[in-house]
Amino acid sequence: MINYKLANILLEGSAAFSNYPTLLYRRESSGKVFTDIESHILQGPDCFDFTTYFNSLPVSKWRMYTKAERFFVHLEFMGAPFRLLPTYASALDWSSIKQMDCVSNYPSSDNWQSLDVELVPDSKAVLASFCIKTDGELRLRNCYFYTEVEEDDLSTVELALATTTFKKEAYILKNLDLIKENVLGSHEHIADHFRVHVIDNGRTLDVDSLSTGLITIHPNPNVGGSGGFARGMIESLEQNPKATHVLLMDDDVEVLPESFIRTFNLLSLLKEEYSNAFLSGAMMSLEEPNLRTEDLGFFTAKGTFSPLKPGGFMTSLHDVVETEIYRAPTGLYEDTAQQYAGWWYCVIPTATIEREGLPLPLFVRSDDAEYALRCKPKFMSMNGICVWHNSFNFKYSAAVERYQVSRNTLISQATTGAAPLSDFLYEIRREVELDLKKFNYDEAVLAVKGLEDFLRGPEWISHPVAESRFMAANREREQLIPIEQLIPQALELGVDLTQLTFGNLSLGGDRSRLQALKDYLTINGHRFVNDSAKRNGRVAVIDAAGWVYPAGKIRDVDTLIVVDMPNKKGAIRHMDKKRFKEVWTRFRKAEKEFKRNKDKIYAEYASYRDVFTSIDFWKQYLKEASE
């Protein structure tokens, strides 16, 4: 038997921990935690509870996914005497359970000592950890959880990180430094079995200075996320030694090196039944670093992307536990079976890539969801394996959410049969109607163009046209101006934006059922009625995000002031029945063509499945894009 590390116990490693220390530990009184060059200092008197998101061991998941059966904690310590109490948390717990019958006492020491304690939590425990109670100053170093396994139980793992970037140097350079120092430069098992492939779609990174050792910068044409990740998969398959797993990760994230370490250790111990599973890391919010927004997602029956699990604050032990035990309610909602892992942090076995092929040439959006639905893997997720990422409220882009999503969800479904329970045409129609109701004619057109470009057929997207179409969509979307410029324009309309709060901005207003029916039939007064006199001079202020529908607030007005509060921008829209007629007529024409030719065009896309997903196709596609 050998001891095999599972996870390090963390007391530093991210700026998030300074603002939210309960991600790492909880205190009963006023004790403090410090860090110096070689150790961490617990300053009592206090009891420090490590049953937290990053410092508890998810024993239920380790038992489910891996060959680990027994769990231990290793500590090196010096200083004041202390007591160590094993803890655990189960499904209904809001605070940790201390195992008082398993207390260990340790005297003061002027020299470094070490201890190893087996954690034997309740059989129904989800998490296991420990508390340390000390009245003085206790130093800790080299603390971690481990298991005992036969050496033959370890699998050979060569993990390749593929991250695609487009002019996001601030994120990439910082993350590379963290990886070099804390992963490649560490004494962890992963250090000699981790390759980093940075796919530089913007071709702005210094290849010579950054390509060092196990890190390689690959200049690439701007073929979007799908093209960048396809290139990363190819490089991972062709590296020496060939990768056993590819970790796909967004560029605009803040990484925690420990996530890579835990990922490698997990992969090394997998049971055979999980050897082909995808590992989905959690998305933590950069704006609220204790908030987990998503790990797995699913396609709804109505054709929208949705997180599978409720969001949760990882400073709440109850939410930490719920994150681990949550199961999709497929009995009540059949569409929750249409699950996918987002490529902000997703590990895919290379055996799956060799069997199922590469992503579809979608540029951005839907590529990760389609790939998971095509491969139909088991999914794994685990507390403490995550990245910090901007919340989508800060990243709304009509070029993505209207044009790319409308086109790509249909391409995905037609080509590989992804999300058969979803009605993507329904969602496109809903988006067009929603934008028209809010006088956002420019962005309603983008959704229509997505549908029209899908109808062009698979031959059209088999060439690198995606970048130019995406850039065009960005030019054609509504252009917001800084809020400082918008304020005087709003004042001319009788609206003072200087007193605006997000709470007031988010109000939707009341309306009756009869009013709702009228709004639906007339698309907020654009057809069948002439109520210009009633609307004349009336103004409403709403959120600029495309997915909001403040129905009661926008009816019976002729002007909308839209505000993007996270990015401090906005615009003014006016009702325009002529523009409405142009957009609506164009959409109805495309919708009728889709319904009339759906079977034929789906068959055409399906015939390209093996082409689009092949290495030969992608190498030719990348070559053509470069030229």
Side-chain angles (χ1 to χ4, degrees):
M1 299 286 282
I2 62 169
N3 295 342
Y4 193 80
K5 183 189 289 187
L6 303 179
N8 291 296
I9 294 161
L10 301 177
L11 285 169
E12 61 177 346
S14 171
F17 301 156
S18 299
N19 294 322
Y20 297 95
T22 47
L23 289 169
L24 303 179
Y25 59 86
R26 291 182 177 82
R27 301 167 301 171
E28 289 186 356
S29 58
S30 58
K32 297 181 180 179
V33 177
F34 303 96
T35 298
D36 63 16
I37 295 175
E38 67 169 7
S39 64
H40 306 290
I41 303 164
L42 307 185
Q43 188 178 78
D46 210 337
C47 182
F48 300 88
D49 187 349
F50 293 90
T51 319
T52 58
Y53 180 69
F54 285 103
N55 283 331
S56 59
L57 193 67
V59 289
S60 61
K61 289 281 186 73
W62 280 102
R63 285 173 174 148
M64 181 190 306
Y65 300 150
T66 76
K67 300 166 187 175
E69 296 179 355
R70 299 175 65 193
F71 305 99
F72 304 82
V73 60
H74 172 86
L75 300 179
E76 294 180 10
F77 62 92
M78 181 174 69
F82 67 97
R83 304 174 72 195
L84 187 145
L85 298 79
T87 62
Y88 67 87
S90 301
L92 301 180
D93 292 330
W94 289 74
S95 58
S96 64
I97 306 300
K98 296 178 177 66
Q99 295 180 274
M100 302 304 297
D101 56 341
C102 299
V103 175
S104 301
N105 293 289
Y106 299 90
S108 62
S109 173
D110 294 329
N111 300 302
W112 284 105
Q113 308 289 326
S114 64
L115 66 85
D116 293 89
V117 173
E118 183 171 8
L119 302 176
V120 188
D122 182 87
S123 61
K124 295 181 180 179
V126 176
L127 312 172
S129 192
F130 60 95
C131 290
I132 288 178
K133 187 170 186 178
T134 181
D135 290 330
E137 187 173 282
L138 177 67
R139 291 179 175 267
L140 298 176
R141 71 180 186 187
N142 195 28
C143 305
Y144 56 84
F145 297 107
Y146 68 92
T147 189
E148 289 182 345
V149 291
E150 298 290 346
E151 195 163 358
D152 292 344
D153 286 337
L154 297 176
S155 301
T156 299
V157 175
E158 297 291 340
L159 180 59
L161 168 63
T163 183
T164 300
T165 186
F166 184 81
K167 300 180 180 179
K168 298 283 180 65
E169 286 85 351
Y171 287 99
I172 286 292
L173 296 178
K174 179 181 178 181
N175 289 338
L176 288 180
D177 285 343
L178 288 170
I179 289 170
K180 281 189 285 188
E181 180 179 354
N182 299 291
V183 181
L184 298 176
S186 72
H187 298 293
E188 303 288 343
H189 300 300
I190 189 177
D192 297 323
H193 305 279
F194 190 51
R195 288 284 300 273
V196 180
H197 299 285
V198 179
I199 313 303
D200 182 16
N201 281 358
R203 288 174 281 194
T204 55
L205 297 175
D206 187 330
V207 176
D208 293 334
S209 65
L210 295 176
S211 294
T212 56
L214 299 175
I215 297 174
T216 307
I217 310 298
H218 303 277
N220 206 49
N222 186 18
V223 285
S226 61
F229 286 126
R231 173 78 183 274
M233 290 178 177
I234 293 171
E235 296 293 343
S236 301
L237 290 170
E238 295 182 350
Q239 70 180 46
N240 185 24
K242 184 174 79 172
T244 60
H245 299 79
V246 181
L247 167 52
L248 305 179
M249 189 180 77
D250 276 347
D251 59 342
D252 55 345
V253 299
E254 289 189 9
V255 302
L256 181 70
E258 176 66 14
S259 289
F260 302 125
I261 295 167
R262 295 182 185 189
T263 292
F264 183 89
N265 296 340
L266 175 67
L267 297 175
S268 299
L269 286 170
L270 290 180
K271 294 176 180 176
E272 179 62 29
E273 63 192 280
Y274 282 94
S275 60
N276 292 316
F278 286 14
L279 172 63
S280 180
M283 182 193 295
M284 304 286 284
S285 169
L286 274 172
E287 295 76 31
E288 297 180 85
N290 63 328
L291 174 64
R292 178 197 52 73
T293 58
E294 189 170 350
D295 49 27
L296 293 172
F298 75 101
F299 265 130
T300 69
K302 292 183 178 180
T304 59
F305 300 87
S306 177
L308 182 68
K309 303 176 183 178
F313 289 98
M314 297 300 98
T315 44
S316 162
L317 184 60
H318 171 267
D319 288 6
V320 173
V321 172
E322 183 179 53
T323 294
E324 291 295 68
I325 66 173
Y326 187 87
R327 298 292 180 269
T330 52
L332 291 173
Y333 304 101
E334 185 182 4
D335 54 0
T336 59
Q338 298 186 147
Q339 295 173 26
Y340 60 83
W343 286 355
W344 52 81
Y345 192 107
C346 177
V347 180
I348 301 174
T350 50
T352 299
I353 298 171
E354 291 173 322
R355 183 183 72 247
E356 298 290 345
L358 301 176
L360 297 180
L362 301 177
F363 197 73
V364 294
R365 211 69 162 98
S366 304
D367 47 352
D368 48 4
E370 181 282 322
Y371 197 82
L373 290 163
R374 184 202 317 172
C375 297
K376 300 179 176 63
K378 290 183 177 180
F379 291 105
M380 301 183 293
S381 62
M382 184 174 283
N383 284 348
I385 297 178
C386 63
V387 292
W388 280 269
H389 194 289
N390 281 125
S391 298
F392 289 125
N393 285 341
F394 284 75
K395 295 181 63 176
Y396 181 81
S397 165
V400 173
E401 302 301 332
R402 291 297 185 253
Y403 174 74
Q404 292 289 145
V405 169
S406 297
R407 189 193 69 184
N408 291 350
T409 50
L410 289 173
I411 291 174
S412 299
Q413 190 177 65
T415 307
T416 64
L421 301 178
S422 298
D423 186 346
F424 294 119
L425 182 65
Y426 170 90
E427 173 59 13
I428 294 170
R429 183 186 181 106
R430 188 194 69 82
E431 290 175 352
V432 171
E433 290 183 351
L434 178 58
D435 279 338
L436 292 176
K437 289 174 181 176
K438 297 188 294 181
F439 314 157
N440 194 353
Y441 310 104
D442 292 338
E443 295 184 357
V445 170
L446 295 182
V448 178
K449 286 186 175 181
L451 175 56
E452 291 171 340
D453 281 355
F454 166 76
L455 295 171
R456 289 172 181 254
E459 174 60 26
W460 181 70
I461 67 160
S462 66
H463 302 284
V465 297
E467 180 186 16
S468 63
R469 298 300 287 173
F470 181 63
M471 291 173 65
N474 260 318
R475 291 192 300 270
E476 295 161 8
R477 64 182 171 84
E478 180 178 54
Q479 301 302 314
L480 305 182
I481 62 174
I483 196 75
E484 294 82 5
Q485 299 176 28
L486 188 65
I487 287 172
Q489 297 181 28
L491 279 175
E492 293 179 4
L493 297 169
V495 176
D496 182 5
L497 293 180
T498 61
Q499 303 300 311
L500 185 65
T501 65
F502 189 74
N504 285 332
L505 183 68
S506 302
L507 295 175
D510 294 326
R511 61 176 181 168
S512 67
R513 289 186 179 182
L514 185 59
Q515 289 173 329
L517 178 61
K518 178 185 175 183
D519 294 343
Y520 171 74
L521 294 175
T522 67
I523 308 185
N524 192 18
H526 280 96
R527 59 179 185 173
F528 308 146
V529 294
N530 184 6
D531 56 2
S532 300
K534 181 179 180 181
R535 292 174 177 269
N536 187 36
R538 299 188 63 181
V539 183
V541 183
I542 66 170
D543 194 323
W547 44 66
V548 302
Y549 180 34
K553 190 187 288 188
I554 66 174
R555 65 186 324 273
D556 294 337
V557 304
D558 68 2
T559 300
L560 290 174
I561 301 173
V562 299
V563 179
D564 175 1
M565 290 195 77
N567 297 299
K568 298 181 180 179
K569 292 184 177 182
I572 296 175
R573 303 173 187 162
H574 300 285
M575 189 176 196
D576 187 336
K577 291 190 176 183
K578 181 179 177 181
R579 284 293 314 278
F580 164 81
K581 186 175 181 180
E582 292 170 355
V583 177
W584 188 245
T585 300
R586 186 171 172 179
F587 167 70
R588 292 288 289 141
K589 179 182 177 182
E591 182 185 46
K592 289 175 182 176
E593 182 181 347
F594 175 89
K595 291 179 177 179
R596 185 168 58 247
N597 298 315
K598 179 181 177 181
D599 291 345
K600 178 183 177 182
I601 199 166
Y602 268 51
E604 289 176 1
Y605 275 101
S607 71
Y608 273 73
R609 171 175 176 157
D610 292 341
V611 175
F612 285 158
T613 60
S614 69
I615 291 178
D616 288 344
F617 165 81
W618 271 105
K619 287 187 173 182
Q620 176 59 35
Y621 188 94
L622 294 171
K623 179 182 178 182
E624 187 177 342
S626 297
E627 295 170 349

